[in-house]
Amino acid sequence: MNHEFYIKQCYLLAKEAQKNNEVPVGSLITQNNKIIANSYNSPIKLNDPTAHAEINVIREACKKNNNYRIKDSILYTSLEPCLMCLVAACEARIDLIVFGAYSSENKNIEDKFKYIKENYKIDHKLSFIGGILEKECSLIIKDFFKSKRS
């Protein structure tokens, strides 16, 4: 598996989100090393606060598989997933999440997941690999918010 290749694709999707004035996050899902779904953030465009890139690709992949589970899959995303997206990935039975930028300097996705599992009795096992193309994925987010404050 070439995680860097897929995160680069997520980065390009994030650029599409940025063009639409959305927070620049892109995601895709693979099964058997093939991309089965890809998307980017679109809560503003869709008037839907749940339209995160990760949720969008989970919905698309479920439709393509005609199943609410996406077993034997990997979720790639340019930014560490939020709690909503982590739980959605568990419910979809995704095996691994690979992401680019961390959402905070604490780099605590394992702690977030542990909290969810312990407090909400989630029994799915999910693995993580973070920091792939971290600089590029972090910079696009930082630049986006910097331009909003200018």
Side-chain angles (χ1 to χ4, degrees), residues 109-122:
I109 192 158
E110 297 283 350
D111 293 340
K112 281 187 206 177
F113 187 61
K114 183 179 176 186
Y115 175 83
I116 292 169
K117 282 186 69 87
E118 289 174 356
N119 290 284
Y120 297 99
K121 310 296 185 229
I122 291 174

Side-chain angles (χ1 to χ4, degrees), residues 1-2 30 32 36 41 64 81 103 109-110 112 139:
M1 284 176 274
N2 187 343
T30 63
N32 302 315
I36 63 166
N41 269 2
K64 284 186 178 173
S103 61
I109 192 158
E110 297 283 350
K112 281 187 206 177
L139 188 60

